[in-house]
Structures are given as structure tokens and as C-alpha cells.
Amino acid sequence: MASTKKLFSGLTRRGPHRVLRGDLAFAGVPGVVYTPESGLNLPGVVFGHDWMAQAGNYAHTLEHLASWGIVAAAPDTEKGVAPSVLNFAFDLGAALEIITGVRLGTGKISVHPGKRGVVGHGFGGSAAVFAAAGMGGDAHHPKAVVSLFPTVTTPPAEQPASTLKVPGLVLTAPGDQITLRSNAVELARAWDGATLRTVSKAQAGGLVEGRRLARFFGLPGADKDTQKIVRALLTGYLLATLTGDKTYRDFADPDVALPHTETADPNADPVALEDKVVALLKP
């Protein structure tokens, strides 16, 4: 079998499938869906955007997943200054049911109910946890959940995280543990079965695409290196967990060192809120 490093390198590039783009609005939820050109009983995920972002800011990430055979949908809701994490979680769940319950494209594409996942970035990373926790019955639970650089929400996502019985991946950036905005460590600590990995040199907000004037308004801008690394890690993890592809099993193994990451222990030396404040105030 190819080495993990070689597999990672391959996953940074587009996969073998031609990609189609569709509109979720036909089923009542504003948003987009990207699919491989054809395939039945495919794995499928929904993707939640960050605060003050929208589904279109993740087009290349969604296309990347679809090129590797994963149906990827993203609701385009809760885009305002004060979004509701609970409403967004509901929309994520609704979008997942849509892509599972209907034939996509010209009827040649379908998602298997046992190969579903929930993914989110920033605000959407916490919403993904709420969505996964709110899906009733073992048969309807997603098979995997991924929270990319999650951020604090009201209500907090730690409580629903503690109820999750599915494996999860939480990605964090260097220094996130001392920021008031990130809840990656707290989520991973509450979530039994989650793997916390620090992405070396990543920018937590860099996964958002197309924000050319972002820094002018105080928002994080796009970072191509972060996008490249995260897309590979996310794709490998989903292929391993949703499809059971043993080729990529290392991407879901918490004991395996993956390129550009460090596995972190969320229970080691927890950072208290007051310590975060002190760290931020240091010159």
C-alpha cells in the first residue's frame, strides 16, 4: 500500500471524477450541492460555513470532495451578523436528508443513508456538532463528523458534543487553544471518540475562499496552504470513515502521524478562560 505521505500528496489534487453542480433550493433549502457525474449509494456530506461567510466561499472545497466521489452539499443560510447556530444545525440536517432522500442529477446519483457525514468550518464547525447530536435514532446518525477550526457559539457546542456516539475529527490551528474564539480543545475534550489534530502553520479562517477585501473589514482572508492541507486531510478522513476504504485508514487513526499535523491531547494541561485572557493581553 502507498505510504501515508504519498496518499496525502495525491489527495491535495482533484480526484478522478468529473463534477456536477446543483441547487438545493429545488427541495426548499437555499444552497448548493456538488456531486460526481454518476454513482449510486455514494457517501455524502453536508458542509456548514463560517460566520459572515456563505456556501459559495467553499466552492473549491466542495468540488474537491465531489471529485473524490463524495456528494457535498452546503446550505446557504444564517449568513448575517447574528446567526443562529440552532437554526443552522437544523438546515444542515435538512440538507443531509435532501441529498439522501432524492435522486440527484439526472437520477444516476444517490447517497447511501449509512455513508453520511456532517462537516463545518468555524461557526459551522460547532453547528455540525449540534446537527449530528440532533439526528434521532441510530439509523439516522451520521457515520462521521468533522469540525474544522470550530468557534464558540451560543448556546455552546460542548454539551451536544458530549452526547455524540460517532467518531469525529477536530482540526485546530497553532495558538488556537489560547484564543477566546476557538472551542476546538473544549469540543474534543467533551466528545468521546474525537481526534484533535493541530494543522501546522494553518490559519483558522483561511479555509474561506474569495475574500479579497476581508482583512480590510477585519475578517480572515483566504489561505491557499491551509485550504490545500485541510482538503487532503478531510477527504482522506471521509473516505476512511464513510466508505470504509482501508487505503485511507491512517487518516482516521488517532495514533498515526499525518503530514502537516500534530496529534493533540485535549485533556493535557487545559487552558482556563482567565489564562486565555492573560495570554491575549501579553505584549
Side-chain angles (χ1 to χ4, degrees):
M1 189 176 75
S3 69
T4 302
K5 186 175 181 180
K6 187 173 181 180
L7 290 171
F8 176 89
S9 178
L11 289 171
T12 62
R13 299 185 289 272
R14 286 176 65 93
H17 297 277
R18 181 169 175 261
V19 175
L20 304 179
R21 181 189 184 280
D23 192 345
L24 282 180
F26 77 92
V29 177
V32 294
V33 57
Y34 290 82
T35 74
E37 186 172 21
S38 63
L40 301 178
N41 294 319
L42 296 171
V45 299
V46 287
F47 191 104
H49 62 73
D50 196 6
W51 178 72
M52 291 295 286
Q54 54 190 329
N57 291 123
Y58 299 90
H60 294 304
T61 296
L62 299 172
E63 287 176 2
H64 188 88
L65 293 175
S67 76
W68 283 95
I70 302 168
V71 173
D76 203 25
T77 59
E78 299 301 320
K79 298 180 291 184
V81 177
S84 165
V85 69
L86 298 180
N87 289 346
F88 197 37
F90 178 85
D91 293 339
L92 288 170
L96 194 58
E97 293 303 319
I98 289 170
I99 65 172
T100 309
V102 301
R103 287 289 183 97
L104 304 171
T106 57
K108 298 179 180 180
I109 305 161
S110 68
V111 171
H112 191 287
K115 299 179 182 179
R116 307 188 306 172
V118 186
V119 184
H121 173 227
F123 166 76
S126 287
V129 171
F130 275 100
M135 293 177 184
D138 292 339
H140 297 282
H141 283 163
K143 200 169 183 180
V145 184
V146 182
S147 190
L148 307 169
F149 314 107
T151 55
V152 173
T153 57
T154 302
E158 287 85 336
Q159 193 282 325
S162 69
T163 70
L164 291 177
K165 305 299 182 185
V166 294
L169 174 64
V170 180
L171 295 187
T172 184
D176 264 5
Q177 68 272 18
I178 63 169
T179 68
L180 294 174
R181 192 165 182 259
S182 172
N183 64 345
V185 173
E186 291 81 1
L187 268 186
R189 190 181 302 138
W191 182 356
D192 186 24
T195 299
L196 177 66
R197 292 187 185 272
T198 300
V199 182
S200 307
K201 300 180 181 180
Q203 297 179 21
L207 194 59
V208 177
E209 304 160 13
R211 278 181 169 171
R212 296 179 180 176
L213 299 177
R215 289 185 174 85
F216 178 79
F217 294 103
L219 296 171
D223 182 70
K224 291 185 177 180
D225 288 339
T226 299
Q227 294 167 8
K228 181 179 179 179
I229 294 169
V230 170
R231 287 169 190 162
L233 294 172
L234 175 61
T235 304
Y237 185 82
L238 293 175
L239 289 174
T241 55
L242 299 185
T243 72
D245 190 335
K246 294 182 179 179
T247 303
Y248 299 98
R249 60 188 174 189
D250 284 354
F251 287 81
D253 188 337
D255 296 324
V256 173
L258 298 178
H260 302 284
T261 71
E262 300 173 8
T263 303
D265 181 359
N267 297 307
D269 301 321
V271 181
L273 177 61
E274 57 269 25
D275 295 329
K276 287 188 176 186
V277 174
V278 170
L280 288 169
L281 292 176
K282 282 184 178 180

